[in-house]
Amino acid sequence: MKFHTTLAALSLALAGSVFAQTTTPAAPAAPTTPRVDKREAKQQARIDQGVASGQLNQKETTRLENGQARVNQAEASAKADGQVTRKERKHLEHMQDKQSRHIKHQKNDKQMVKPAG
């Protein structure tokens, strides 16, 4: 009889712990912005290519890097509350469009870095 009481108590305790585990809410997943991240990488590659080819001088590069940093900061701010809204996504897209135009303009102006040598 003592064995059955102990077994019953143990099974109740085990069932209670399983129930407690299933009812605790899971932490919400961090919001993702794959389109923003992919475009950010492509724009950074365009800047790096412009530096390598001599199309961008140091001042232009710094200005473009600061623009990329502003986009990164806006993305982090949008993610801060755990959700990126449609309006925030539109704002990020607008910022990236503007940054893309800046990159194109700076790479295609007549300022060139003279090759060493």
Side-chain angles (χ1 to χ4, degrees), residues 19-80:
F19 179 75
Q21 288 177 357
T22 59
T23 59
T24 55
T32 59
T33 52
R35 291 180 71 191
V36 173
D37 295 337
K38 186 176 179 181
R39 189 164 179 196
E40 184 179 315
K42 283 184 175 185
Q43 288 183 344
Q44 187 60 52
R46 288 172 57 204
I47 294 170
D48 294 342
Q49 185 277 328
V51 170
S53 68
Q55 291 176 302
L56 295 173
N57 63 34
Q58 184 60 48
K59 190 173 182 179
E60 292 170 331
T61 303
T62 301
R63 198 175 306 127
L64 293 173
E65 293 285 350
N66 289 341
Q68 289 293 103
R70 282 190 297 278
V71 173
N72 290 340
Q73 188 176 20
E75 180 184 13
S77 178
K79 289 179 176 182

Side-chain angles (χ1 to χ4, degrees), residues 92-108:
L92 290 170
E93 185 179 336
H94 174 74
M95 289 180 76
Q96 287 184 317
D97 289 345
K98 191 173 180 180
Q99 185 65 11
S100 181
R101 286 190 301 271
H102 288 298
I103 294 168
K104 180 180 178 181
H105 174 75
Q106 293 301 319
K107 283 181 69 174
N108 293 305

